Amino acid sequence: MSSNIRIKKNCVLCGKLFIAKTLSTKCCGNACAKRLYKRKKKEEQIEKALLDSANPIKAPESRLNEREYLSVTECVNLFGVSESTVRRLIREDLIPFIRIKRRIVINKKGVIKYLSNERYN
């Protein structure tokens, strides 16, 4: 069943006068409705970005500082050395590590101790 409602409204986006056939119609046509939808989505993204910047999540580096054991990649990111250097130190048993199947877990304190001894000797 269709209704016989005819309401004169102004388009929210362009301001043109149009005849709405439902109470919830806000735009004069499909083109304005699409533009309004895009505008709302853009505003939502901006609002989300502002909320994210107001409540920053801890940076990955700060999370790495809290952990006692690191993967090879995390060790590379935290200490700023190359992956080949870290793997060479592991191969030569210069830093303490644990091998869990194929995964290598490195003791962060041991790496700090090794790096501090290397710099001052």
Side-chain angles (χ1 to χ4, degrees):
M1 248 172 106
S2 65
S3 70
N4 291 328
I5 298 174
R6 302 288 187 257
I7 303 169
K8 288 184 180 181
K9 285 187 169 184
N10 286 327
C11 179
V12 173
L13 196 64
C14 66
K16 259 201 263 180
L17 187 66
F18 70 100
I19 298 174
K21 296 180 181 176
T22 65
L23 296 173
S24 61
T25 304
K26 296 177 184 175
C27 296
C28 60
N30 195 24
C32 280
K34 286 180 180 180
R35 279 190 238 124
L36 182 64
Y37 175 78
K38 283 185 177 183
R39 182 184 289 176
K40 283 182 182 178
K41 287 298 179 182
K42 187 175 182 179
E43 289 172 358
E44 286 174 8
Q45 286 180 341
I46 292 170
E47 187 176 322
K48 183 181 175 189
L50 291 174
L51 286 175
D52 288 346
S53 65
N55 301 324
I57 300 172
K58 288 184 178 180
E61 293 81 23
S62 64
R63 284 189 298 222
L64 291 179
N65 287 330
E66 296 171 357
R67 297 178 56 193
E68 188 175 345
Y69 293 96
L70 306 169
S71 69
V72 173
T73 308
E74 292 168 341
C75 190
V76 166
N77 292 334
L78 185 62
F79 295 110
V81 294
S82 69
E83 185 174 341
S84 59
T85 301
V86 174
R87 292 196 183 277
R88 179 178 48 80
L89 294 174
I90 290 169
R91 191 172 48 252
E92 296 174 359
D93 283 333
L94 295 174
I95 57 174
F97 70 95
I98 302 168
R99 188 178 299 271
I100 304 170
K101 293 191 177 187
R102 295 182 66 187
R103 184 171 180 210
I104 296 173
V105 182
I106 303 167
N107 185 326
K108 183 173 70 172
K109 289 180 183 177
V111 176
I112 292 171
K113 185 176 178 182
Y114 173 78
L115 291 175
S116 63
N117 287 338
E118 283 298 309
R119 288 185 183 152
Y120 295 114
N121 286 340

